[in-house]
Amino acid sequence: MSNDVAEIASMIRRLEETGLSRKAIAEGANVGASAITRIMLGDAKSPSFRVVNSIKRFYGETFPNADPPQQRFAPGCQPRAGR
């Protein structure tokens, strides 16, 4: 599981800890329940941008005071100044 997928799985796990079912998480994120299941089973190696952003959005709405996810760059790459 890549770091990004592991981060999304961690968000889903935390949402589940609040008592939400995977179906409720999928509905809240406006994605298919199968997408949530594939991520949690490790079958989704690279979920779509829409699925990832939808889950992050729902997570942010559920935990408004949570630390924002860190922007990641490829190994050895850094953002340019001013960007």
Side-chain angles (χ1 to χ4, degrees):
M1 200 180 297
S2 76
N3 287 340
D4 292 336
V5 176
E7 178 184 358
I8 296 300
S10 174
M11 289 179 179
I12 294 169
R13 204 170 299 108
R14 184 156 182 224
L15 288 164
E16 287 178 328
E17 289 170 359
T18 68
L20 290 171
S21 67
R22 289 184 181 172
K23 182 177 179 181
I25 294 168
E27 289 173 359
N30 198 28
V31 299
S34 62
I36 302 295
T37 300
R38 283 193 310 273
I39 290 169
M40 295 307 291
L41 292 175
D43 292 342
K45 302 299 182 209
S46 58
S48 74
F49 184 75
R50 186 189 74 76
V51 168
V52 169
N53 279 343
S54 295
I55 293 169
K56 285 182 178 182
R57 177 196 48 78
F58 181 63
Y59 181 84
E61 291 171 357
T62 306
F63 299 106
N65 296 325
D67 293 332
Q70 296 292 323
Q71 184 175 4
R72 294 205 169 96
F73 298 91
C77 295
Q78 295 296 320
R80 289 178 153 174
R83 287 192 177 179

